[in-house]
Amino acid sequence: MSRSGEHFHPLSRLLHWLMALLILAMLFVGVSMVGDLSPRHTLLVGIHKLIGLALLVLVLIRIGVRLKYGAPALPGDLPALQRLAAKASHWLLYALMLAMPLIGWGMLSAGGYPIPLHLPALLPHDLKLYAVLRLAHGWLAYLLFATVLVHLAAALVHGLIRRDGVLRSMLSGR
Amino acid sequence: MSTPLQGSARLARLAAIGLLVTAVAAGFAYAAGWIGPDRLTPKRIIDTFMSQAGYYPGYRKNHAKGLCVSGYFQSSGLAAPLSRARVFSQPTVPVIGRFAIGGANPLAPDANIPTRSLAVQLRSDDGELWRTGMNTPPVLAVSTPEGFYEQVLAMTPDPATGKPDPAKLQAFFASHPESAAFRQWAKDYKSSDSFANSAFHSINAFRLIDTAGNARYVRWRMVPVAPFEPLPAQVNDKDYLQHDLQQRLGQGPLQWKLVLTLAEPGDPVDDPAQPWPAGRQEVDAGTLVIDQVYAKEAGACRDLNFDPLILPGGIEPSADPILAARSSAYAESFNRRSRESAGLGERS
Ligand code: HEM
Ligand code: HEM
């Protein structure tokens, strides 16, 4: 894994911002559709499943790109605790980005629901398993949202207050 | 290379960051309905069912009392020109079904409930699923989920009598003139003595899409082959319909014709309270054959959500708001009973 360079690879940046947008949309669509009784519910659930599966493909590509091109090193003067927090939160984000779509797919399988695009069932039809996955899909989504908020705040502190080049490394190549 | 900001500019920017994060979080809470105006949600509807009928963990939150059945559908081929769904051309399609009575109480006496239902899943050999839940009335009393909710509230059992308060019901119907067709049906309706000789209606309309992409609006119903016999005036067996079903299926399979009614332009395709004019073209799409019944709370139907929007390619929803509301409320019911059966609590 190379750590050279001050900026993320252009492909990494593209994936980062595209997925940031889609994941935020998924989180907002997800919590609003489950409380909605109108025909918007039908539309949003359909979109949610398709974008969710697209995000599964994107996260796999992204993990590959990350392994190939690496990431710029954090600033040398960053306190150890913040360094740890940065590493841990990035791991958590990757784990959740991978887990959420897989749980969505697995949950449809376990619930005996049809799966979009005629994809095969990931898991057997099992109501109790469905219950666990459906709860996990909800709670991990909240965890993902909280992590995204912390990530957003930290990025802005880097960019607007520390002004240490961390935010710029994801914004531009210059 | 890092030149940290200091002093009041730093404070101002920190505050701005805090404000932004709070605003995003508040937007999320608003989208989720945790803050903001009170809305009719699937959760509220299911809570209301449960507060009226009682808490029966693991059971469906409506149409709680029923039996799983199975069989097959033999398509006539006559509907194949109207819809590219494989179910209309495949000679024999396996079926999982469920006969039930309306209401959220799984212990209710069969004979007291005028609304009976049949839910079926057809799985065609192209892997597509079609789930449809059908009821005995041909129309609903209301046109919107809000109206439905008001109806449910008006039917709250009076603690003194255990029955809905007639004055409340009357007030509900008076303020919902769209219920005229339903009231007429209820007045004329004579309960039959069996699921086997009951007709079941889709009520909501759907769109059939043919191979060229042309759409036709339809409603469908299952028309029993078994002749009508009235329900006896006095029925003592609480599980009368279930025992009758088991007994009849012990003697041989039961059959229904799947009849499609095609709308004409201008018919109320998005309003489940309004019948379509008489004389609309009908198509006999095939025969549903039910040949097996399962023990109480057993069988493949139990762990299925008969969401009426699980449709194969070639059948699409209409814009009927009740149809969308059903899909949403059935998911909430399914989620809750799944949690209850896994011992993960009753609440969402
Ligand atoms: C990054 C990916 C995903 C995110 C962030 C996400 C997020 C969410 C959220 C926030 C909810 C609402 C949870 C609640 O309030 O209880 C939800 C519900 C749901 N998600 Fe996802 N999801 C993702 C992927 C998927 C995928 C891939 C599928 C299926 C293919 C899926 C299917 C569903 C379904 C069916 C529901 C609603 C279930 C119901 O009505 O009970 N999700 N999702
Ligand atoms: C807004 C109106 C309606 C609401 C909120 C509603 C709600 C529900 C709920 C929560 C269930 C339990 C689902 C499950 O856990 O699997 C159910 C079952 C059922 N409903 Fe409705 N319903 C509505 C209108 C209708 C209409 C118009 C029909 C028929 C045309 C219908 C037919 C059925 C049938 C057949 C079942 C039983 C499904 C089974 O046996 O599994 N419902 N309903």
Side-chain angles (χ1 to χ4, degrees):
Chain A
M1 194 194 292
S2 80
R3 292 207 149 262
S4 57
E6 288 181 8
H7 301 282
F8 279 93
H9 190 272
L11 190 53
S12 297
R13 276 182 275 135
L14 176 70
L15 284 167
H16 174 273
W17 291 110
L18 176 63
M19 290 181 67
L21 198 76
L22 291 179
I23 288 173
L24 266 182
M26 285 295 283
L27 288 165
F28 277 78
V29 164
V31 292
S32 90
M33 73 190 186
V34 294
D36 193 341
L37 276 168
S38 76
R40 206 172 41 231
H41 172 266
T42 314
L43 180 74
L44 290 182
V45 172
I47 293 175
H48 183 90
K49 292 180 196 166
L50 288 179
I51 297 185
L53 290 168
L55 275 166
L56 178 59
V57 177
L58 288 173
V59 76
L60 291 175
I61 299 174
R62 182 162 176 191
I63 290 171
V65 169
R66 177 71 173 69
L67 290 177
K68 187 156 183 325
Y69 296 110
L74 287 169
D77 63 344
L78 201 67
L81 199 63
Q82 285 186 35
R83 200 170 273 282
L84 183 71
K87 290 261 158 65
S89 64
H90 295 164
W91 269 104
L92 185 59
L93 284 169
Y94 275 110
L96 290 172
M97 283 190 298
L98 188 61
M100 283 302 296
L102 285 175
I103 293 174
W105 183 354
M107 149 182 125
L108 291 182
S109 318
Y113 284 106
I115 298 161
L117 313 172
H118 284 254
L119 290 171
L122 276 188
L123 294 167
H125 180 190
D126 177 336
L127 194 66
K128 295 190 171 105
L129 184 58
Y130 170 81
V132 173
L133 293 172
R134 178 64 187 81
L135 278 177
H137 197 73
W139 285 109
L140 290 181
Y142 301 156
L143 179 62
L144 175 57
F145 183 63
T147 316
V148 165
L149 284 186
V150 171
H151 179 76
L152 170 72
L156 290 175
V157 168
H158 279 289
L160 298 179
I161 292 173
R162 279 186 54 95
R163 300 195 288 194
D164 55 9
V166 167
L167 180 58
R168 209 175 342 112
S169 73
M170 188 53 93
L171 281 175
S172 76
R174 282 172 292 117
Chain B
M1 92 161 222
S2 88
T3 46
L5 202 63
Q6 303 296 348
S8 63
R10 178 189 175 98
L11 271 184
R13 288 191 181 186
L14 269 178
I17 294 171
L19 213 61
L20 177 76
V21 168
T22 311
V24 179
F28 191 70
Y30 181 83
W34 299 330
I35 55 172
D38 211 17
R39 292 179 287 193
L40 180 58
T41 59
K43 185 172 178 305
R44 173 121 64 99
I45 289 188
I46 303 297
D47 283 344
T48 309
F49 284 154
M50 280 170 60
S51 74
Q52 293 181 351
Y55 177 47
Y56 299 100
Y59 285 92
R60 285 172 165 79
K61 303 307 166 201
N62 197 7
H63 296 240
K65 186 182 181 191
L67 286 180
C68 289
V69 294
S70 63
Y72 50 92
F73 175 70
Q74 290 178 308
S75 55
S76 66
L78 295 175
L82 291 165
S83 166
R84 60 186 168 82
R86 176 76 179 129
V87 285
F88 295 123
S89 55
Q90 183 179 330
T92 305
V93 183
V95 168
I96 292 169
R98 182 169 181 270
F99 287 103
I101 57 171
N105 179 356
L107 308 174
D110 287 342
N112 294 11
I113 312 280
T115 298
R116 299 172 186 166
S117 66
L118 169 60
V120 288
Q121 164 180 287
L122 286 76
R123 180 190 290 274
S124 49
D125 57 14
D126 56 0
E128 295 271 292
L129 292 181
W130 180 18
R131 295 191 190 154
T132 172
M134 295 158 286
N135 282 356
T136 35
V139 285
L140 283 190
V142 293
S143 310
T144 62
E146 290 73 21
F148 179 83
Y149 182 64
E150 283 175 42
Q151 185 187 10
V152 172
L153 289 182
M155 285 171 22
T156 307
D158 183 334
T161 61
K163 290 201 155 69
D165 176 351
K168 282 208 181 117
L169 270 182
Q170 222 172 13
F172 166 80
F173 284 126
S175 62
H176 286 271
E178 77 275 20
S179 64
F182 178 83
R183 276 178 283 143
Q184 188 62 44
W185 169 82
K187 212 169 95 212
D188 299 344
Y189 183 64
K190 302 265 177 301
S191 287
S192 75
D193 68 344
S194 175
F195 285 122
N197 53 22
S198 299
F200 301 97
H201 301 80
S202 75
I203 306 181
N204 305 114
F206 295 79
R207 277 151 42 97
L208 296 185
I209 315 292
D210 69 14
T211 45
N214 302 307
R216 277 305 287 272
Y217 281 95
V218 287
R219 285 172 175 166
W220 53 75
R221 64 184 194 276
M222 292 285 181
V223 180
V225 169
F228 178 88
E229 293 287 341
L231 190 69
Q234 177 73 22
V235 174
N236 297 319
D237 182 1
K238 280 184 96 172
D239 296 336
Y240 182 84
L241 293 177
Q242 298 198 343
H243 290 146
D244 167 82
L245 186 67
Q246 287 156 343
Q247 194 226 328
R248 286 187 193 234
L249 282 170
Q251 289 159 7
L254 299 168
Q255 296 186 1
W256 286 258
K257 295 276 175 211
L258 173 58
V259 177
L260 312 177
T261 305
L262 303 184
E264 293 293 334
D267 286 351
V269 293
D270 297 338
D271 185 350
Q274 284 196 58
W276 293 346
R280 290 288 176 259
Q281 187 192 341
E282 299 202 323
V283 176
D284 170 1
T287 305
L288 173 71
V289 181
I290 296 296
D291 56 10
Q292 257 207 74
V293 59
Y294 297 82
K296 262 189 204 285
E297 323 320 335
C301 84
R302 190 193 57 195
D303 297 346
L304 287 188
N305 172 358
F306 286 97
D307 176 344
L309 293 186
I310 295 180
L311 298 166
I315 308 181
E316 290 178 358
S318 64
D320 181 344
I322 296 262
L323 195 50
R326 287 177 68 191
S327 179
S328 179
Y330 291 26
E332 175 71 17
S333 168
F334 185 72
N335 288 349
R336 284 200 203 190
R337 59 192 176 93
S338 77
R339 281 200 294 278
E340 290 160 359
S341 68
L344 291 169
E346 61 181 88
R347 293 265 139 182
S348 49

